[in-house]
Amino acid sequence: MSKPNRQMNLNAFLMNVGHHEAAWRHPHTEPQNITDIHYFKKLAQIAEAAKFDSLFLADGLAVSQNIKHGAYIGLEPFTLLSALAAVTEHIGLIGTVSTTYNEPFHLARKFASLDHISKGRAGWNIVTSGSEYEARNFSKNGHLEHSKRYERAREFLEVVTGLWDSWEDDAIVSDKQAGIFADDTKVRELNHAGETFHVQGPLNISRSPQGYPVLVQAGSSEDGREFAARHAEAIFTAQQTLEEAQQFYADVKSRAARYGRNPDQLKILPGICAVLGATESEAKEKEAYLNELTVPAYGLNQLSNMLKIDLFQYPLDGPLPALPGVNEINGNKSRYQLVADLAQRENLTIRQLIHRLAGGRGHRTFAGTAVQVADQLEEWFQTGASDGFNVMPPYLPGGLEEFAEQVVPELQRRGLFRTEYDSATLRGHFGLDRPANRYASAGVSL
Amino acid sequence: MSKPNRQMNLNAFLMNVGHHEAAWRHPHTEPQNITDIHYFKKLAQIAEAAKFDSLFLADGLAVSQNIKHGAYIGLEPFTLLSALAAVTEHIGLIGTVSTTYNEPFHLARKFASLDHISKGRAGWNIVTSGSEYEARNFSKNGHLEHSKRYERAREFLEVVTGLWDSWEDDAIVSDKQAGIFADDTKVRELNHAGETFHVQGPLNISRSPQGYPVLVQAGSSEDGREFAARHAEAIFTAQQTLEEAQQFYADVKSRAARYGRNPDQLKILPGICAVLGATESEAKEKEAYLNELTVPAYGLNQLSNMLKIDLFQYPLDGPLPALPGVNEINGNKSRYQLVADLAQRENLTIRQLIHRLAGGRGHRTFAGTAVQVADQLEEWFQTGASDGFNVMPPYLPGGLEEFAEQVVPELQRRGLFRTEYDSATLRGHFGLDRPANRYASAGVSL
């Protein structure tokens, strides 16, 4: 049997009624759907029918947008993904959860529970939270400084993975006759005592089908790259150009190798917001139409938050003012850099920049035919820029349906994407190893 | 049209493979089911077909049992109830969540999300956590003192309900033409600054179908009764005798009236673990068989934890030693008192006490025919001892099936329990008012 082609991984990144900030104004969307499980069930079924690797949910812990003109509010990831687990069979379920405003015991437990409920389809997108708005919802005086957040994240992950290992896979024996429920030599306290956390354990749920959910990471700063290279199994990253994406890919894969890891066990998945049309000009018109629907006050608020500068005082059709240096940014550092570079490289006015960011908030937007989109994806995939993509439909459900009906079959024809699921877990879809239990052969007792 | 009889409320309290501590050894249970969503889906469908008001899940944040001989581990309530919401239509979904080891923003958000996902079927059983084992999983040096836990709970509830009111019901207008997503005069910051919490808000999810999930409370101490009388809409309580239950019922209802509340808006639901048989003697034999399956070391561990005294050093067939006073108990005070009273009233040996607690951990156990069980429930319901019951099947799914097939029809014949759902929400099933938004008519702006 010949070795099959290397396969692309595709996540369906679901957000409200679409990723474009004006999606809610599009005639084909129904914004009241954002809290309706039937709507998300439909999206999940479209994505599963198209054999996507996973559903991907972003998250934030505060309303920081101009709510008058649009807002990222809606269902919480654990509850939504659990509900979707019950109505799907194959597709992975990746939820974003912050290490900054959570307790490791709660998080370890909920992900283990989701992994059990979905029979091995859970993934955790690890973020450290980037805004002071979130701090204010959690009784914190200020937002933790960037490198401190990553320190906390590293310890958090140590605790969480320790809790996932606190029950060996075969700890529950259920010997009714002998009255032995669990082999208590295979269940252990963690007794973590670190800088930030003191956690005894064991977890109050058994080890889940995947051992750990797939560990995804979504920061591309220096701290973020190091964290990903050591710990992540997939990276969701924003890359505007092929060259930058290739540099990022090579950099992170080589960092992983330096940590003694197999670089194939770390999937790099840039975001792509594809606006599809029957012809290129139709696609461009659709994109322009969406951009016309944007409300400047909304985009200005978003961009001001991102760049930490009040842009309302500058002319919309003038250039960006001088920006603070990246060292002064205590939020999403890599996204800040990307936006600053983009504005400078293309010499954009504030309005033009808002339009460029409206589709994907810094992720790449591309308008074209299904063949053109597939060409772009194939080029990035084949030239060392990505292992697959986080697909960010501009409006929903239409944009996902179009991608599923037009782009996926094109990728399948090219032998780049599965036509059937051949595994039952998200690790299986991504080709990732199941993590061994750190205690399983060590013979350490409780 | 004549006024229908007052109707009983029945929750199906699901726990592992049954409430009896030896349920996992029973030949009709499959202990590996405790992390299997298909098992819980089956239980939910049995309960929904029998028109139960709700599924009820307890919770704890640590393993404190003797895991060798049984353990309450398994799926986490938010994830499990969300999954069950997706595969049920009518039944309520009550989850226990502690105010001691959670953040109000997370909890408010997840319950609002569950209430949206279930279209108005969520309930929150408010507990303050009773064990130092839990403290050790959350980086706490010690367990908060009992009255401090209730102080925290009161402030926690103030924050959570404030967040649920932070979006008015009609705040989202979605006016595509005008570009107005939300009426921002109907979305408010909370700006809570209290003893324990500082929370800005608003919540990042809109107000849910029920406004608030149904607020359930499960402590029966002095602090617990006061909390329930002020805030709860249903109380889950352990009562061993009719007289005690009547006293508790009258006490809590009159406390609610003193707070200016309509006592009908506070449902009192004692737990009942019914062991059913075709004849009384068959039922007693089934109960005795379950008790024979208990492992003394497990029950001794549980009882020692409950009474805060090491019982392993005393003869199993001898009396309880002298106990500490209730003031020294910093856990579940009312359960401690109940167990101490039970042992004294019936002059029980340690082994006998373990057997008496094996079925319901202090909740009433009754073995008899379906008619006898229905008689007991009717008596309590008609003589001012309860508004309904938390039904705690000794083993699952068999015990729930028996209750649904035998006791429910008997209650329906007597006109005491619904034969069809006539409402779509848990508030509707319980006959509870939907809470008004505190800001809706006040005209306070953000």
Side-chain angles (χ1 to χ4, degrees):
Chain A
M1 221 174 90
S2 65
K3 200 182 166 204
N5 288 336
R6 173 171 162 257
Q7 298 284 296
M8 218 179 251
N9 300 115
L10 295 178
N11 301 328
F13 182 177
L14 308 181
M15 184 178 262
N16 285 15
V17 289
H19 284 270
H20 197 287
E21 68 181 42
W24 71 272
R25 297 187 70 189
H26 192 280
H28 294 167
T29 64
E30 298 178 47
Q32 66 276 23
N33 276 346
I34 60 174
T35 48
D36 186 346
I37 190 63
H38 300 302
Y39 162 71
F40 282 99
K41 183 177 167 183
K42 180 179 173 178
L43 295 176
Q45 290 170 340
I46 294 167
E48 189 166 69
K51 320 300 176 198
F52 274 84
D53 291 77
S54 82
L55 305 173
F56 184 99
L57 298 183
D59 200 43
L61 298 169
V63 178
S64 61
Q65 301 86 25
N66 177 327
I67 53 172
K68 189 170 178 180
H69 303 301
Y72 291 106
I73 63 164
L75 300 171
E76 182 276 337
F78 278 120
T79 43
L80 175 53
L81 292 177
S82 300
L84 294 178
V87 295
T88 53
E89 292 286 331
H90 293 96
I91 197 162
L93 305 158
I94 303 178
T96 297
V97 187
S98 168
T99 54
T100 300
Y101 301 110
N102 277 289
E103 287 284 339
F105 192 92
H106 284 313
L107 184 140
R109 185 184 183 211
K110 286 187 175 73
F111 268 117
S113 191
L114 178 62
D115 203 44
H116 276 295
I117 287 171
S118 64
K119 312 269 184 205
R121 296 185 280 135
W124 172 24
N125 181 36
I126 305 167
V127 298
T128 64
S129 290
S131 101
E132 65 275 19
Y133 293 99
E134 296 174 282
R136 295 186 205 129
N137 287 334
F138 292 92
S139 305
K140 305 291 183 210
N141 289 323
H143 189 46
L144 262 181
E145 193 267 314
H146 192 270
S147 67
K148 292 277 178 201
R149 295 205 305 275
Y150 273 97
E151 271 175 35
R152 180 184 164 106
R154 281 187 287 273
E155 189 185 341
F156 195 105
L157 190 64
E158 196 181 323
V159 175
V160 164
T161 54
L163 289 169
W164 286 326
D165 285 341
S166 64
W167 290 71
E168 288 189 34
D169 288 310
D170 57 354
I172 296 180
V173 294
S174 287
D175 183 339
K176 293 188 180 203
Q177 201 58 41
I180 308 295
F181 173 74
D183 177 349
D184 57 1
T185 68
K186 295 185 173 178
V187 184
R188 294 177 183 83
E189 289 180 0
L190 181 64
N191 291 319
H192 174 93
E195 188 72 26
T196 304
F197 301 112
H198 284 65
V199 179
Q200 181 175 279
L203 201 57
N204 55 355
I205 182 167
S206 56
R207 202 159 190 263
S208 73
Q210 295 187 113
Y212 307 166
V214 172
L215 300 177
V216 185
Q217 200 271 349
S220 301
S221 65
E222 175 62 26
D223 284 330
R225 289 176 194 216
E226 275 299 289
F227 186 89
R230 291 183 71 158
H231 305 294
E233 299 171 294
I235 304 182
F236 172 41
T237 180
Q239 302 293 335
Q240 284 283 333
T241 69
L242 178 64
E243 294 67 31
E244 285 168 350
Q246 287 168 332
Q247 283 165 19
F248 180 82
Y249 187 96
D251 177 53
V252 174
K253 293 268 183 176
S254 70
R255 289 181 196 232
R258 279 206 297 281
Y259 283 114
R261 298 180 62 198
N262 174 355
D264 290 345
Q265 292 288 307
L266 172 53
K267 305 296 176 185
I268 298 183
L269 309 172
I272 177 77
C273 179
V275 183
L276 288 158
T279 62
E280 184 177 338
S281 64
E282 186 189 302
K284 302 273 187 217
E285 277 165 31
K286 281 173 74 171
E287 185 183 35
Y289 175 67
L290 275 162
N291 286 342
E292 279 162 28
L293 292 177
T294 56
V295 180
Y298 182 88
L300 275 171
N301 179 69
Q302 290 283 89
L303 193 56
S304 297
N305 277 343
M306 199 183 270
L307 300 179
K308 308 297 175 199
I309 188 169
D310 177 9
L311 294 173
F312 283 85
Q313 53 182 313
Y314 298 93
L316 254 179
D317 294 308
L320 270 187
L323 296 178
V326 70
N327 289 337
E328 292 172 47
I329 299 300
N330 181 24
N332 187 330
K333 280 181 186 280
S334 57
R335 192 65 54 86
Y336 167 84
Q337 193 67 59
L338 178 149
V339 171
D341 290 351
L342 173 66
Q344 192 179 33
R345 185 172 64 237
E346 304 191 13
N347 197 25
L348 301 175
T349 65
I350 292 176
R351 188 193 303 274
Q352 287 168 332
L353 185 57
I354 287 175
H355 284 179
R356 283 295 299 274
L357 297 174
R361 301 174 308 284
H363 289 278
R364 186 173 181 229
T365 304
F366 182 86
T369 65
V371 169
Q372 289 175 317
V373 170
D375 286 345
Q376 289 291 318
L377 301 186
E378 182 170 7
E379 182 181 19
W380 283 44
F381 180 67
Q382 301 289 24
T383 62
S386 88
D387 296 309
F389 300 90
N390 242 14
V391 175
M392 303 166 59
Y395 51 93
L396 289 166
L400 180 63
E401 283 170 327
E402 289 163 4
F403 195 96
E405 287 165 13
Q406 299 169 31
V407 180
V408 167
E410 182 62 29
L411 295 171
Q412 289 168 331
R413 267 191 293 278
R414 301 180 188 192
L416 297 170
F417 190 62
R418 72 174 68 81
T419 53
E420 291 298 336
Y421 289 107
D422 59 5
S423 58
T425 67
L426 179 55
R427 290 191 171 276
H429 303 339
F430 276 163
L432 296 170
D433 297 337
R434 186 174 189 273
N437 189 313
R438 72 190 65 180
Y439 303 116
S441 55
V444 186
S445 289
L446 185 64
Chain B
M1 222 175 90
S2 65
K3 201 182 162 201
N5 288 337
R6 175 172 161 253
Q7 298 285 297
M8 217 178 251
N9 300 115
L10 295 178
N11 300 329
F13 181 177
L14 308 181
M15 184 177 262
N16 284 16
V17 288
H19 284 271
H20 197 286
E21 69 180 42
W24 71 270
R25 297 188 69 190
H26 192 280
H28 294 166
T29 65
E30 298 177 48
Q32 66 275 24
N33 277 344
I34 61 174
T35 48
D36 187 346
I37 191 62
H38 299 302
Y39 162 72
F40 282 99
K41 183 177 168 184
K42 180 179 173 179
L43 295 177
Q45 289 170 340
I46 294 167
E48 189 166 68
K51 320 300 177 196
F52 274 83
D53 291 77
S54 82
L55 305 172
F56 183 100
L57 298 183
D59 199 43
L61 299 169
V63 178
S64 59
Q65 302 86 26
N66 177 326
I67 53 171
K68 189 169 177 180
H69 303 301
Y72 292 106
I73 63 165
L75 301 171
E76 182 275 338
F78 277 119
T79 43
L80 175 53
L81 291 178
S82 300
L84 294 179
V87 295
T88 53
E89 291 286 333
H90 293 95
I91 197 162
L93 305 158
I94 303 177
T96 297
V97 186
S98 169
T99 53
T100 300
Y101 301 110
N102 277 288
E103 286 284 340
F105 192 91
H106 284 313
L107 183 140
R109 185 183 183 214
K110 287 187 173 72
F111 268 117
S113 191
L114 177 62
D115 203 43
H116 275 295
I117 287 171
S118 64
K119 312 271 184 202
R121 297 185 281 136
W124 173 25
N125 181 37
I126 305 165
V127 298
T128 64
S129 289
S131 100
E132 65 276 19
Y133 293 99
E134 297 174 279
R136 293 187 206 130
N137 287 333
F138 292 92
S139 304
K140 305 291 182 209
N141 289 323
H143 188 46
L144 262 183
E145 194 267 316
H146 192 270
S147 67
K148 292 277 181 203
R149 295 207 305 275
Y150 274 96
E151 271 175 36
R152 180 184 164 106
R154 279 186 290 273
E155 189 184 341
F156 194 106
L157 189 64
E158 196 181 322
V159 176
V160 164
T161 54
L163 289 169
W164 286 326
D165 286 341
S166 64
W167 291 71
E168 288 189 33
D169 288 310
D170 57 354
I172 297 181
V173 294
S174 286
D175 183 338
K176 294 187 179 203
Q177 201 57 40
I180 308 294
F181 173 73
D183 177 349
D184 57 1
T185 67
K186 295 186 173 178
V187 185
R188 293 178 183 83
E189 289 181 359
L190 182 64
N191 291 318
H192 174 92
E195 188 70 28
T196 304
F197 302 111
H198 283 64
V199 178
Q200 180 173 280
L203 202 57
N204 55 355
I205 183 168
S206 56
R207 201 159 190 261
S208 73
Q210 295 188 112
Y212 308 166
V214 173
L215 300 177
V216 185
Q217 199 271 349
S220 301
S221 65
E222 176 62 26
D223 284 330
R225 289 177 194 216
E226 276 298 290
F227 186 89
R230 290 183 72 158
H231 306 294
E233 299 171 294
I235 304 181
F236 173 41
T237 180
Q239 302 293 335
Q240 283 283 332
T241 69
L242 178 63
E243 295 67 32
E244 286 168 349
Q246 287 168 331
Q247 282 164 18
F248 179 82
Y249 187 97
D251 177 53
V252 175
K253 294 269 184 173
S254 69
R255 289 181 196 232
R258 279 205 296 281
Y259 284 114
R261 297 181 61 200
N262 174 356
D264 290 345
Q265 292 287 308
L266 173 52
K267 304 296 177 185
I268 298 184
L269 309 171
I272 177 78
C273 179
V275 183
L276 288 158
T279 62
E280 184 177 336
S281 64
E282 187 189 301
K284 303 274 187 212
E285 277 164 33
K286 281 172 76 171
E287 184 183 36
Y289 176 67
L290 275 161
N291 285 342
E292 278 161 29
L293 292 177
T294 58
V295 180
Y298 181 88
L300 275 171
N301 180 69
Q302 289 283 90
L303 193 56
S304 296
N305 277 343
M306 200 183 269
L307 300 178
K308 308 296 175 198
I309 188 167
D310 177 9
L311 294 172
F312 284 84
Q313 53 181 315
Y314 297 94
L316 254 180
D317 293 308
L320 272 185
L323 297 178
V326 69
N327 291 337
E328 292 172 46
I329 300 300
N330 181 23
N332 187 331
K333 280 181 186 279
S334 58
R335 192 64 55 86
Y336 167 84
Q337 193 66 60
L338 178 149
V339 171
D341 290 351
L342 172 67
Q344 192 180 33
R345 186 172 65 237
E346 304 193 11
N347 198 24
L348 302 174
T349 66
I350 292 175
R351 189 195 302 274
Q352 288 169 330
L353 184 58
I354 287 174
H355 284 179
R356 284 295 297 275
L357 297 174
R361 301 174 307 286
H363 289 278
R364 188 174 179 227
T365 305
F366 182 85
T369 65
V371 169
Q372 288 175 316
V373 170
D375 286 346
Q376 288 291 318
L377 301 186
E378 182 171 6
E379 183 181 18
W380 283 45
F381 180 66
Q382 302 289 23
T383 62
S386 88
D387 296 309
F389 300 90
N390 241 15
V391 175
M392 302 165 59
Y395 51 92
L396 288 166
L400 181 63
E401 284 170 326
E402 290 162 3
F403 195 96
E405 288 165 11
Q406 299 169 31
V407 180
V408 167
E410 182 62 29
L411 295 171
Q412 289 169 330
R413 269 192 289 279
R414 300 179 189 194
L416 297 171
F417 190 63
R418 72 174 67 81
T419 54
E420 291 298 336
Y421 290 106
D422 58 6
S423 59
T425 67
L426 180 55
R427 290 190 171 277
H429 303 339
F430 276 164
L432 296 170
D433 298 337
R434 185 173 190 272
N437 189 313
R438 71 191 64 182
Y439 303 116
S441 55
V444 186
S445 288
L446 184 64

